[in-house]
Amino acid sequence: MKPENINKSMEQLKLELYKIQCKNWIPSKGKGTGAAGITLEKMLHKDEDQLVLPDYYGIELKTKIERSEPFVSLFSMAFDNKPLEIKRLLKIGGYPDKKNPQFKVFQTAILGNRRKFMKSNLNYLLKVDYIHEVVRLIISDYHFQLIDNSMSWSFLQLKSRLEHKMSYLALIPVKRWHTNGTLYFRYLNAKFFRLKNFETFLKLIETGIIRVTFRISYFKDEERFGEIHDRGTTFEIREEDIPKLFDEI
């Protein structure tokens, strides 16, 4: 998007946020951890996040509840080299669920600078492979013998998703208040950021600043009980590290 169009979008978003701030505390219009973002998008008369495109006329919106979990999601993206890789990952590295051990789950965050040892007696590491232009998930046993390194994200797909989704970012702090069974949000002033470049993104994966979080479980409702429930594979960064990937505008 052209800079003049982004500037117009930012000014328009600032005005819309000001109108929302004037309403003070707003009842939640969503459920779960994403309720603040869903509520904001509804207040902006936008559809819920479509994952691959920015939320607001070229600007990705990220709400951050004050004093909440420190990581902010950048985007979600499954392995792009083969179909059904999540199913294969669960088969290789999944571990028994505490409540229903007959079903495997895989819920963890993997870094590029430190191996993650899991209950499955395996360890995991992200590796930026510049020769083959992929980010690999390295799976090894406790003796560091390679088990699998075929699951990956290509530079091409990562760059496309990052630049389409995250070229411009609005980070919006949110206060949360729960009373009489109702959840309320209050939206504060946004900070605006511009993505540095894809090379910086890769370096931040290598150094463990950006992590990948897997949320693979199983459905617990009666109709689909026991079926694999992939809740997403997400690239995340700490709020305090956002300036390492973006320049503040």
Side-chain angles (χ1 to χ4, degrees), residues 64-91:
K64 186 69 174 64
I65 304 291
E66 288 190 340
R67 294 184 294 277
S68 65
E69 206 270 350
F71 281 88
V72 175
S73 66
L74 295 171
F75 58 86
S76 295
M77 183 175 172
F79 299 118
D80 62 4
N81 53 338
K82 293 178 182 177
L84 305 178
E85 287 291 72
I86 289 297
K87 184 176 182 179
R88 191 164 72 88
L89 174 59
L90 193 62
K91 182 177 181 181

